């Protein structure tokens, strides 16, 4: 099959909507346009039926007992906001302490920062070099004021998958609620809120081949019954937790996409893991001083994150971006001039944090694409090393740490 | 972020990549930036010791595309200039030529620093041994 450019290998930023999900959505824009809260006529019943069916599909994907435990939001960010702020407000009498990690995505970290300004105490536990949270460290962070533990299921940059069941068990034993940000994991790896002791779970449609603009928060109803304060007041939709007219077409697309992910998961994750391993082997066997970031095994099957010593990440992307879409933890790809805090949190030097490239595969990735991107990456890294003063110094045997750098 | 055509051109076809021997007569070397900041530039000039004109310039850069382009452009501009003229190159000239966005201005600052460091190194090496003892 001929390659089609540009090649998309940035599937942890977003994914294309599966055509079958688009197909399912279409009637809900036009002939089935009813408001799901219209209780007195067929248009409303039809819309409500579609929303409930999607609720069931999403509940099934994450192992929820009851579809009513799914609360629709505008996406992952809103779900995370609702979980953290909703719990902090509702359980204020019980305590004012939240435990999370330093590698959470920005939504979680920014919500925590706001809560801190409002008097909530937050402990950000570090992670090990492979990205895993140490359970004893987590346990040690818990106080008698802790009301919530929030740990991401799988990391968005390095793909490390946490031992969620063990964290759930710990939370349960301590009588603390447990929220997990599963935006990167849901639909990709098995998620089971019952078996894993998850009380709240955030996910989003657009990372599992559904549309942008819709996500969900799972809120446990039994054992314990979790209560959260709403952030948006209005008609009392979603059991009072999230008011606002539901975007029925998006929800239908989300539900269909979730069901397709559940059906495809065993085969799809094996296929993507094989492709990912192929890309990893191709690159690591052809480039010296290229380092895999994250956990070597406990990792999302479609994720590959590599730091290329002596070259800067954005310059690598610039050599590739006409024909392939990738992402970097380089400071120069962000507005802040700070390199990836995730790679930094794994204990890598700042230089290697500036040099990280994330390859993320998806349902429509092919072997030809992987081979092409792998080969081009190798070429670009070699070309950039030929013009890198750091590579030159290292090859001369100079220890870069021995140089007194005059930083700006 | 979209790059200007000139940045892309310098990135794809960098001018004067390479190194001179540091101890070659007439060579001045500037090494600026820091790996942990994501930018390191090495810029070298080779001055004709009789005319005082920069005959050749080379660079190697660890950094983003704009940093590579800024140092590549700097080597182009340095060639044929006298040492005194070279000292007048300003980072704003580089910003204007490459149309660098605000977030990339530090790349041009680093290139100016590299030029200054190379010139200073050249001058230090030209100072006669024991120059400090001569009366002036």
């Amino acid at each position: 099959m001929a390659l089609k450019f540009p090649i998309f290998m940035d599937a942890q930023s977003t994914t294309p909507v599966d055509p079958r999900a688009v197909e399912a959505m279409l009637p809900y824009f036009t002939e089935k346009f009813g408001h799901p809260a219209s209780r007195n006529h067929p248009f409303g019943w039809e819309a409500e039926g579609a929303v409930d069916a999607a609720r069931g599909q999403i509940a099934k994907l994450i192992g929820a007992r009851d579809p009513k435990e799914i609360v629709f939001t505008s996406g992952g960010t809103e779900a995370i906001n609702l979980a953290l702020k909703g719990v902090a407000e509702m359980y204020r009498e019980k305590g004012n302490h939240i435990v999370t990690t330093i590698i959470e995505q920005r939504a979680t970290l920014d919500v925590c920062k706001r809560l801190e300004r409002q008097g909530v105490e937050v402990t950000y536990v570090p992670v090990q070099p492979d990205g895993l949270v140490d359970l004893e460290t987590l346990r040690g962070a818990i106080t008698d004021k802790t009301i919530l533990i929030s740990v991401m299921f799988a990391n968005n940059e390095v793909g490390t998958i946490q031992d969620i069941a063990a964290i759930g068990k710990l939370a349960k034993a301590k009588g603390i609620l447990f929220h997990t940000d599963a935006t990167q994991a849901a639909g990709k790896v098995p998620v089971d809120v019952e078996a894993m002791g998850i009380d709240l779970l955030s996910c989003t449609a657009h990372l599992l081949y559904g549309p942008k603009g819709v996500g969900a928060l799972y809120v446990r109803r039994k054992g314990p019954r979790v209560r959260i304060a709403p952030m948006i007041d209005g008609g009392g939709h979603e059991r009072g937790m999230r008011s606002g007219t539901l975007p029925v077409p998006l929800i239908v697309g989300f539900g269909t996409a979730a069901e397709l992910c559940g059906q495809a998961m065993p085969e799809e994750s094996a296929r993507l893991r094989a492709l990912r391993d192929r890309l990893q082997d191709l690159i690591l066997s052809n480039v010296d001083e290229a380092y895999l970031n994250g956990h070597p095994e406990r990792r999302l099957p479609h994720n590959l994150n590599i730091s290329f010593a002596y070259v800067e990440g954005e310059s690598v992307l610039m050599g590739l971006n006409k024909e392939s879409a990738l992402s970097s933890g380089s400071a120069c790809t962000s507005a802040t001039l700070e390199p990836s805090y995730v790679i930094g949190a794994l204990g890598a030097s700042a230089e290697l944090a500036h040099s990280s490239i994330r390859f993320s595969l998806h349902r429509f990735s092919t072997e030809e694409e992987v081979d092409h991107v792998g080969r081009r990456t190798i070429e670009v890294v070699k070309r950039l090393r030929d013009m890198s003063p750091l590579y030159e110094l290292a090859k001369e045997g100079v220890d870069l740490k021995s140089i007194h750098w005059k930083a700006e | 972020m979209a790059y200007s055509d000139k940045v892309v051109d310098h990135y794809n076809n960098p001018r004067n990549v390479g190194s001179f021997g540091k101890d070659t007569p007439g060579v001045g070397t500037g090494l600026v930036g820091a790996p942990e900041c994501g930018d390191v530039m090495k810029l070298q000039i080779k001055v004709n010791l009789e005319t005082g004109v920069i005959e050749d310039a080379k660079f190697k850069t660890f950094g983003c595309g704009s940093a590579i382009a800024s140092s590549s452009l700097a080597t182009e501009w340095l060639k044929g200039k006298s040492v005194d003229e070279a000292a007048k190159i300003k980072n704003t000239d580089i910003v204007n030529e490459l149309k660098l966005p605000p977030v990339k201005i530090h790349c041009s600052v680093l290139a100016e620093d590299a030029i200054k460091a190379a010139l200073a190194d050249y001058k230090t090496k030209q100072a006669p041994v024991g120059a400090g003892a001569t009366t002036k």
Side-chain angles (χ1 to χ4, degrees):
Chain A
M1 201 172 73
L3 281 171
K4 222 178 103 197
F5 295 105
I7 295 167
F8 188 70
M9 235 176 245
D10 194 18
Q12 286 182 272
S13 66
T14 192
T15 56
V17 182
D18 189 295
R20 292 165 288 183
V22 175
E23 198 62 36
M25 290 166 71
L26 289 176
Y28 293 91
F29 286 104
T30 49
E31 70 261 34
K32 302 180 179 180
F33 60 87
H35 192 307
S38 298
R39 291 281 157 77
N40 299 308
H41 55 68
F43 291 90
W45 302 332
E46 183 177 53
E48 190 186 25
V51 167
D52 285 343
R55 242 186 256 287
Q57 289 165 315
I58 295 157
K60 190 174 175 210
L61 180 71
I62 62 169
R65 238 183 258 159
D66 184 348
K68 289 200 187 81
E69 296 176 306
I70 303 298
V71 173
F72 287 110
T73 66
S74 62
T77 296
E78 190 194 326
I80 291 167
N81 269 264
L82 181 55
L84 272 58
K85 292 176 182 170
V87 165
E89 185 178 331
M90 186 59 82
Y91 293 85
R92 199 183 302 167
E93 302 294 302
K94 192 170 174 246
N96 69 337
H97 181 234
I98 293 174
V99 178
T100 187
T101 80
I102 56 173
I103 60 163
E104 298 298 305
Q105 65 154 309
R106 286 298 300 272
T108 302
L109 296 178
D110 285 356
V111 169
C112 284
K113 278 189 197 115
R114 180 176 295 280
L115 289 173
E116 281 184 285
R117 288 196 294 273
Q118 295 167 355
V120 175
E121 284 176 35
V122 182
T123 302
Y124 304 87
V125 300
V127 295
Q128 303 170 108
D130 53 19
L132 281 178
V133 175
D134 174 57
L135 275 178
E136 290 315 306
T137 310
L138 193 66
R139 190 193 307 274
I142 295 170
T143 72
D144 55 359
K145 292 279 174 215
T146 308
I147 49 171
L148 180 71
I149 296 173
S150 184
V151 176
M152 68 198 326
F153 203 109
N155 183 261
N156 48 314
E157 285 193 44
V158 297
T160 296
I161 300 171
Q162 302 296 340
D163 189 348
I164 292 296
I167 298 170
K169 208 170 151 191
L170 170 66
K172 191 126 297 175
K174 299 269 184 185
I176 299 166
L177 296 179
F178 175 36
H179 167 251
T180 187
D181 163 13
T183 46
Q184 295 288 346
K188 311 298 170 67
V189 291
V191 172
D192 189 326
V193 292
E194 289 302 329
M196 295 171 174
I198 297 164
D199 299 314
L200 295 135
L201 176 146
S202 296
C203 60
T204 189
H206 78 97
L207 284 167
L208 48 82
Y209 312 99
K212 293 167 185 62
V214 66
L217 178 66
Y218 159 81
V219 184
R220 177 175 289 280
R221 267 163 72 90
K222 245 189 205 162
R225 183 182 181 86
V226 178
R227 288 151 66 232
I228 50 172
M231 285 189 303
I232 299 175
D233 295 309
H237 310 97
E238 300 298 90
R239 299 193 290 128
M241 287 185 264
R242 204 281 191 177
S243 290
T245 301
L246 293 172
V248 180
L250 300 182
I251 288 170
V252 168
F254 187 5
T256 307
E259 182 171 296
L260 291 170
C261 279
Q263 289 164 357
M265 194 183 295
E267 184 272 332
E268 186 163 86
S269 63
R271 187 183 83 88
L272 292 179
R273 178 175 287 113
L275 279 182
R276 187 272 313 277
D277 290 348
R278 183 184 174 93
L279 181 60
Q280 178 178 324
D281 292 346
L282 177 64
I283 292 172
L284 294 185
S285 61
N286 281 284
V287 183
D288 61 321
E289 294 197 64
Y291 304 99
L292 178 70
N293 292 313
H295 196 285
E297 283 100 35
R298 285 191 65 96
R299 188 151 56 107
L300 290 172
H302 54 296
N303 166 280
L304 177 63
N305 191 308
I306 294 179
S307 282
F308 297 96
Y310 316 121
V311 296
E312 195 273 341
E314 190 206 344
S315 67
V316 176
L317 295 191
M318 195 173 166
L320 297 166
N321 64 12
K322 250 194 274 177
E323 54 187 33
S324 42
L326 302 166
S327 141
S328 169
S330 151
C332 281
T333 58
S334 68
T336 60
L337 295 181
E338 290 297 325
S340 161
Y341 64 88
V342 173
I343 313 282
L346 307 186
S349 66
E351 185 219 324
L352 284 178
H354 281 288
S355 305
S356 71
I357 303 290
R358 182 184 71 184
F359 307 81
S360 38
L361 307 174
H362 56 90
R363 181 168 291 163
F364 310 101
S365 297
T366 67
E367 195 171 284
E368 290 81 5
E369 289 180 343
V370 160
D371 288 350
H372 180 85
V373 169
R375 278 196 304 269
R376 286 287 297 131
T377 304
I378 295 163
E379 282 169 24
V380 169
V381 168
K382 288 189 171 165
R383 186 176 90 86
L384 290 170
R385 281 187 176 173
D386 284 342
M387 62 169 103
S388 166
L390 303 180
Y391 192 62
E392 183 179 68
L393 287 165
K395 290 291 135 183
E396 285 167 3
V398 177
D399 178 7
L400 295 179
K401 290 188 189 73
S402 73
I403 298 177
H404 177 67
W405 298 102
K406 280 164 280 184
E408 282 172 81
Chain B
M1 189 185 311
Y3 304 96
S4 73
D5 292 344
K6 280 181 180 164
V7 169
V8 172
D9 181 43
H10 277 280
Y11 173 85
N12 286 328
N13 311 290
R15 286 39 149 194
N16 311 307
V17 174
S19 300
F20 301 124
K22 273 188 180 167
D23 301 323
T24 308
V27 167
T29 302
L31 182 65
V32 297
E36 62 267 27
C37 299
D39 288 304
V40 174
M41 286 182 191
K42 186 185 82 165
L43 194 146
Q44 293 182 298
I45 53 170
K46 193 183 209 175
V47 182
N48 182 318
L49 293 175
E50 280 167 22
T51 61
V53 169
I54 298 170
E55 283 186 328
D56 206 354
K58 290 205 181 294
F59 84 95
K60 283 201 171 188
T61 289
F62 160 82
C64 64
S66 302
I68 290 170
S70 295
S71 38
S72 170
L73 176 67
T75 59
E76 260 192 332
W77 280 354
L78 285 168
K79 283 200 213 179
K81 282 199 167 60
S82 72
V83 170
D84 290 340
E85 285 166 349
K88 290 177 193 152
I89 296 174
K90 288 274 167 284
N91 83 292
T92 44
D93 303 333
I94 295 170
V95 171
N96 292 336
E97 174 70 14
L98 295 177
K99 299 185 174 65
L100 295 181
V103 70
K104 297 294 187 184
I105 285 173
H106 70 279
C107 298
S108 69
V109 173
L110 202 61
E112 186 186 319
D113 289 348
I115 294 172
K116 293 214 167 94
L119 291 169
D121 181 57
Y122 163 76
K123 283 179 181 161
T124 308
K125 285 180 178 160
Q126 294 323 113
V129 179
T134 57
T135 50
K136 266 202 172 172

